[in-house]
Amino acid sequence: MSQLNVVVLFGGCSPEHEVSLQSAAAVLRNLDRERFRPLPVGISRKGDWFLFSGSEAAIEDGSWLSLPECAPCALLPDRSARALLVRGAQGERLLPVDAVFPVLHGANGEDGTVQGLIELAGIPLAGCGTLASALCMDKHRAHLLASLAGVAVPRGAVVGPDAPRAEALRLARELGYPLFVKPVRAGSSFGITRVAQEADLPRALETALQYDREAILEEAVPGFEVGCAVVGRGADLLLGEVDEVELASGFFDYEEKYTLRTSALHVPARLSPADAARVKAAAAAVYRALGCAGFARVDLFFTPEGRIVFNEVNTIPGFTEHSRFPGMLRAAGYGFSQILTQILEEAMRA
């Protein structure tokens, strides 16, 4: 069987650039090289694309962009080409592309923009498509659709940059303190603030609006966060074990997500089999309602009363060896390389 050329996209012009480097290095190390020939394509913070022929270690430590193994490139939108145009000292060359695996986090990578380019080019895409990616990045609209699917969501209200301060204060009073202020479209907990009193609301809104043009005020849901890794599409879904985030204090912010300095992850979650099954069912319902395909991690809350409340979907979750997504699937008996192969095979069949 001949190898399939898979473009693995990493980097990107978002605040989550560094996280993407770690995830992409792990994906490249775990790809089945007998079946897939990776074409690592890094996107700089400025948005320039480069085919990188160096080591995964150089991607991981961020030195890749300064190395001579970088060659400017572009994914051709021409559907008849299905190719990567690479520019080098010897001129231009075309590399055929069989699939694209975006390992990009946050804006300009997880929000449907890159997915739109890949779909326009007619190349099989690993992961969620344009619409699902855009919907999942938008916390407000994702909550609306999850609610229509019968899954509970937090009470919330959207505030734009021009909303009168009095209106934001009124909405916050209706929700009650403490509450969370979040960018409507951002990932890795960037721009999120837990607000315990009214005096702190203006600064929290200012922080959130640095990351998006809209902010969402959201009630603080009691209990703890749980997650479920989902792979596949439609009725044919593979679910990982439910995990549980145990916090010493505060919330699962950017630092805690990537250092676990004061928090801990439990896989499987400390839930009864029946409750874990309910979490998985809710995750699958949200995944289908938002049109997800390929893979995603669905995050929810489990309240003291046993209610399951939807939080958000990460359409390109962390892929490092220690990330939640591969950890949940590993606990269910699926190896990292096995899952990557399944994701790519599903993309080729779609």
Side-chain angles (χ1 to χ4, degrees):
M1 183 183 298
S2 61
Q3 288 177 302
L4 298 174
N5 284 348
V6 177
V7 168
V8 177
L9 289 175
F10 64 89
C13 36
S14 91
E16 298 169 73
H17 182 98
E18 287 89 353
V19 180
S20 171
L21 303 184
Q22 309 302 310
S23 291
V27 167
L28 290 166
R29 288 190 181 109
N30 285 278
L31 265 182
D32 182 350
R33 299 301 177 97
E34 292 186 2
R35 304 190 62 181
F36 306 110
R37 177 194 177 202
L39 302 175
V41 173
I43 303 174
S44 74
R45 293 181 184 279
K46 295 180 180 179
D48 298 319
W49 290 42
F50 299 91
L51 176 66
F52 180 64
S53 57
S55 69
E56 290 89 5
I59 295 174
E60 206 165 28
D61 66 21
S63 63
W64 66 277
L65 190 54
S66 62
L67 299 177
E69 290 92 343
C70 277
C73 69
L75 190 68
L76 295 180
D78 187 338
R79 295 179 73 88
S80 64
R82 292 196 174 191
L84 196 67
L85 174 66
V86 184
R87 302 182 182 92
Q90 306 303 318
E92 296 182 345
R93 59 192 172 111
L94 290 178
L95 291 177
V97 176
D98 297 299
V100 178
F101 197 138
V103 190
L104 301 163
H105 304 307
N108 304 306
E110 198 174 355
D111 56 4
T113 50
V114 162
Q115 289 77 11
L117 171 62
I118 298 163
E119 291 184 342
L120 182 68
I123 299 172
L125 166 67
C128 292
T130 304
L131 178 59
S133 298
L135 285 172
C136 290
M137 180 61 76
D138 190 309
K139 296 177 179 64
H140 174 58
R141 288 163 179 81
H143 283 184
L144 292 176
L145 288 171
S147 179
L148 289 174
V151 180
V153 300
R155 292 180 303 121
V158 174
V159 176
D162 300 322
R165 177 173 174 175
E167 176 67 6
L169 292 173
R170 182 188 67 79
L171 291 169
R173 289 178 192 136
E174 288 181 359
L175 291 170
Y177 294 93
L179 55 80
F180 284 92
V181 180
K182 308 177 179 181
V184 170
R185 290 164 289 268
S188 286
S189 296
F190 280 105
I192 296 180
T193 306
R194 185 181 186 274
V195 179
Q197 57 186 359
E198 189 171 280
D200 297 330
L201 183 64
R203 176 61 63 87
L205 283 169
E206 182 182 332
T207 299
L209 291 171
Q210 291 176 4
Y211 292 91
D212 189 43
R213 63 181 180 272
E214 292 180 309
I216 185 169
L217 311 181
E218 195 175 281
E219 70 169 330
V221 179
F224 52 87
E225 186 175 323
V226 292
C228 185
V230 187
V231 176
R233 70 174 60 230
D236 186 19
L237 298 182
L238 184 158
L239 302 174
E241 288 295 333
V242 175
D243 79 350
E244 171 193 342
V245 179
E246 181 184 11
L247 292 174
S249 62
F251 68 98
F252 206 40
D253 60 12
Y254 178 83
E255 182 179 358
E256 286 299 328
K257 284 183 176 180
Y258 297 107
T259 67
L260 297 177
R261 186 171 57 85
T262 63
S263 56
L265 292 176
H266 300 278
V267 191
R270 295 173 297 181
L271 298 173
S272 69
D275 284 336
R278 290 198 299 123
V279 171
K280 291 180 182 181
V286 169
Y287 186 92
R288 293 187 178 107
L290 292 172
C292 295
F295 62 93
R297 192 190 74 228
V298 183
D299 295 338
L300 311 106
F301 299 109
F302 194 89
T303 74
E305 299 78 28
R307 290 180 67 233
I308 296 168
V309 182
F310 171 55
N311 181 19
E312 64 181 358
V313 176
N314 287 270
T315 54
I316 307 181
F319 271 106
T320 72
E321 297 287 356
H322 306 293
S323 294
R324 296 173 66 192
F325 180 84
M328 287 184 273
L329 289 163
R330 189 162 49 244
Y334 301 97
F336 198 177
S337 294
Q338 177 186 2
I339 289 299
L340 294 177
T341 295
Q342 181 163 335
I343 288 170
L344 284 166
E345 287 180 343
E346 195 258 352
M348 302 295 291
R349 290 194 301 267

